[in-house]
């Protein structure tokens, strides 16, 4: 754990990064891009887990409920412009999450990779660590600030930068880990409890994008894939329970 001046490292606390897709904030039932009840449910779990489990918790939120770079590219929009639109979408989600988590009394900071001084602090690595040490939930917005990347890769990068012990990848499609094939289509699909990074690559298992997987492999950063939407699973994943699939 990195030392920050004036604050000795707190080895007792686990430092985690949770990657949450933008679609986890949406609801097919209400057809809302950001569904207040969905955000509220997640925020409550995150706020209570942060305190009860004494975590240093950072969240990377995606933007896919609003915009993805590839969506615009398909419509003829310049890819870099479309990706910037996607990054701005993540800022909207980050603010929604911040608002909901703080209503539970848990202080947060949104750190944006794209400068927008009136809205969020800029991402500065040492500042992110300081916020975590003070018990604030850090919400990373705008991915890593560069087009052609996803928030999966951004989450991996930030996790390595802040020296998190684990990257948690919460899925939102009802799949509780990594399977041998798509369990929605193949009833005989088997869930893996543990996998190596090489297994994920060689078996072409679609867990996160390949850039994120190879980055985690190169930097020895384990990933826990779990069902974010299943009751109680977020708490169990944050507590370090053996659920979902662990990739290391
Ligand atoms: N994005 C980007 N650079 C980044 C992070 C995100 O260009 O560092 C853009 C990219 O277009 C992406 C969009 O932001 O499609 C939304 O992020 P993502 O698709 O990862 O969101 P999720 O699917 O997790 O909701």
């Amino acid at each position: 754990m990195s030392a920050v001046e004036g604050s000795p490292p707190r080895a007792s606390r686990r430092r985690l990064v949770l990657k949450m897709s933008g679609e986890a904030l949406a609801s097919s039932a209400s057809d809302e891009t950001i569904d207040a009840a969905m955000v509220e449910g997640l925020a409550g779990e995150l706020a209570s887990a942060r305190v009860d489990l004494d975590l240093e918790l950072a969240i990377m939120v995606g933007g896919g409920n609003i915009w993805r770079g590839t969506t615009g590219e398909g419509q003829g929009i310049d890819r870099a412009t479309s990706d910037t639109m996607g990054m701005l979408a993540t800022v909207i989600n980050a603010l929604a999450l911040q608002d909901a988590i703080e209503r539970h009394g848990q202080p947060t900071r949104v750190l944006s990779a794209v400068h927008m001084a009136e809205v969020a602090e800029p991402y500065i690595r040492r500042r992110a660590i300081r916020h975590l040490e003070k018990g604030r939930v850090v919400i990373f917005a705008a991915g890593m600030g560069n087009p052609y990347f996803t928030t999966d890769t951004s989450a991996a990068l930030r996790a390595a930068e802040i020296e998190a012990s684990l990257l948690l990848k919460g899925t939102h499609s009802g799949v509780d880990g990594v399977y041998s094939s798509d369990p929605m289509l193949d009833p005989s699909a088997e869930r893996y409890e543990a996998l190596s990074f090489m297994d994920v690559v060689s078996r072409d298992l679609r867990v996160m994008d390949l850039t994120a997987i190879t980055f985690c492999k190169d930097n020895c950063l384990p990933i826990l894939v779990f069902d974010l939407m299943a009751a109680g699973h977020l708490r169990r994943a944050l507590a370090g329970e053996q659920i979902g699939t662990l990739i290391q």
Side-chain angles (χ1 to χ4, degrees), residues 40-50 228 230-235 238:
E40 167 61 25
L42 289 166
E45 283 194 68
L46 289 166
S48 62
R50 210 301 298 156
L228 181 63
H233 281 214
L234 174 56
R235 171 78 169 219
L238 291 168

Side-chain angles (χ1 to χ4, degrees), residues 69-237:
T70 47
T71 316
E73 201 182 23
Q75 297 172 17
I77 300 177
D78 165 71
R79 175 64 193 265
T81 302
S82 190
D83 278 335
T84 304
M85 293 163 69
M87 285 188 268
L88 295 178
T90 72
V91 180
I92 295 174
N93 287 336
L95 295 179
L97 209 49
Q98 172 173 52
D99 176 79
I101 294 173
E102 292 209 332
R103 268 188 275 117
H104 285 271
Q106 167 61 52
T108 66
R109 292 291 185 275
V110 173
L111 303 188
S112 174
V114 170
H115 282 244
M116 40 178 77
E118 288 79 5
V119 175
E121 290 182 21
Y123 170 72
I124 297 170
R125 176 180 162 272
R126 291 171 69 103
R127 189 178 283 184
I129 292 170
R130 188 74 180 133
H131 287 319
L132 293 170
E133 286 173 347
K134 289 195 165 189
R136 297 165 184 150
V137 169
V138 167
I139 305 170
F140 296 122
M144 68 175 82
N146 297 107
Y148 295 95
F149 287 97
T150 65
T151 51
D152 280 359
T153 305
S154 308
L157 172 66
R158 294 292 186 247
E161 282 185 277
I162 66 168
E163 295 172 31
S165 56
L166 181 66
L167 173 58
L168 297 122
K169 160 83 178 177
T171 67
H172 57 273
S173 51
V175 179
D176 60 347
V178 184
Y179 281 76
S180 51
S181 56
D182 187 344
M184 299 294 186
L185 304 173
D186 177 3
S188 67
E190 276 180 54
R191 181 167 66 79
Y192 301 109
E193 281 192 8
L195 284 168
S196 71
F197 290 113
M198 281 316 294
D199 289 335
V200 175
V201 175
S202 62
R203 296 181 204 172
D204 195 22
L205 301 169
R206 305 292 164 98
V207 182
M208 296 176 102
D209 63 73
L210 208 54
T211 316
I213 295 291
T214 51
F215 180 90
C216 289
K217 175 180 175 293
D218 290 349
N219 292 283
C220 302
L221 177 66
I223 307 168
L224 181 72
V225 183
F226 72 100
D227 185 353
L228 181 63
M229 310 318 274
H233 281 214
L234 174 56
R235 171 78 169 219
R236 292 177 61 195

